[in-house]
Amino acid sequence: TRSTRPQRMLKAVQKNGTKGNPESVISAIDYFCKHSEWAMNVGDEKGSILDSVVTEVNPSTVLELGTYCGYSTVRIARLLSPGTKLITLEFNPVNAAVARQIIAYAGLQDKVILVEGSSGDLIPQMKERFGIMTFDFIFLDHWKDRYLPDIKLFEECGLLRKGSVLLADNVICPGTPEYLEYVRNSPRYESKYYPAHLEYTKVEDGLEKSVFLG
Ligand SMILES: O=C(NCCc1nnc(-c2ccc3[nH]cnc3c2)[nH]1)c1cc(-c2ccc(F)cc2)cc(O)c1O
Ligand SMILES: [Mg+2]
């Protein structure tokens, strides 16, 4: 059967990237998306904002919702302190298989735990399966209608602590209106919007950073 876009992206990484060099993997994916096929990675503009927030938080426990091809997984993992691992959830097994290979090509497989499944099932298992108490940093980049139910799930499961940082992609495009309304009006969060554009386009988009106040 015909290859998928993530599989064609993987080929481009193997052709144009340098094994073990995360920066070259990031550049190869951005080049592919700008010159060959658009794909829903967070991209270079929003990716730089992601980098600055990760660097500022310097998290010990990290969760990413929505691995896709592993682009943001590589961006985050390359910035983590030695010995720190990130857990990333992917729903689609074909995409997960591509992401594992892209993460491995970047040489970051030892810093990443990629779990296949749905956030609704896996978030309640975080404590028992991975020995997580709370998350220092969470990147939301999965199905946009899951952002609100999942942040409530984090609260219910006691996975947030005073100062936990949640960074959400696509709050304008495709948009997560209910999530935005919740974090911006809840007294339990301090929220800040980072304006940018939909990856590789001129369409307005941005990231919302929300700090849990306890
Ligand atoms: O759908 C997106 N991202 C989601 C991928 C995913 N990869 N894994 C999951 C998962 C993982 C665990 C889950 N548990 C329950 N649902 C789950 C879904 N979701 C997305 C879409 C766009 C986009 C914008 C404009 C357009 F015209 C078309 C598309 C842009 C973006 O930046 C995105 O992130
Ligand atoms: Mg996104």
Side-chain angles (χ1 to χ4, degrees), residues 46 140 144 147 167-177 179-180 183-184 192-194 204-209:
K46 290 187 288 179
L140 296 95
K144 309 314 160 192
Y147 285 26
L167 188 65
D169 189 26
N170 309 117
V171 297
I172 306 299
C173 177
T176 63
Y179 173 83
L180 271 191
V183 290
R184 290 177 176 176
K192 180 180 178 185
Y193 178 62
Y194 293 81
E204 185 188 350
D205 190 19
L207 301 168
E208 187 84 357
K209 175 185 157 189

Side-chain angles (χ1 to χ4, degrees), residues 38-43 46 64-69 88-92 95 115-123 139-147 150 169-170 173-175 198-199 201 203 205:
W38 184 92
M40 58 183 170
N41 312 115
V42 74
K46 290 187 288 179
E64 172 182 64
L65 300 176
T67 317
Y68 186 45
C69 296
T88 182
L89 301 190
E90 176 50 49
F91 190 74
N92 177 318
N95 294 352
V115 188
E116 293 177 40
S118 100
S119 52
D121 299 336
L122 290 165
I123 289 171
F139 182 50
L140 296 95
D141 194 22
H142 60 328
W143 287 345
K144 309 314 160 192
D145 61 1
R146 289 294 317 175
Y147 285 26
D150 287 346
D169 189 26
N170 309 117
C173 177
L198 177 68
E199 48 269 25
T201 78
V203 173
D205 190 19

Side-chain angles (χ1 to χ4, degrees), residues 127 133-136 138 150-166 188-189 212-214:
K127 291 185 185 252
M133 295 290 285
T134 56
F135 285 109
D136 298 333
I138 298 171
D150 287 346
I151 193 171
K152 291 183 174 174
L153 207 45
F154 289 128
E155 292 174 17
E156 286 155 25
C157 298
L159 285 165
L160 303 178
R161 50 116 176 132
K162 190 173 169 42
S164 290
V165 173
L166 296 95
R188 305 185 75 184
Y189 295 90
F212 187 62
L213 302 174

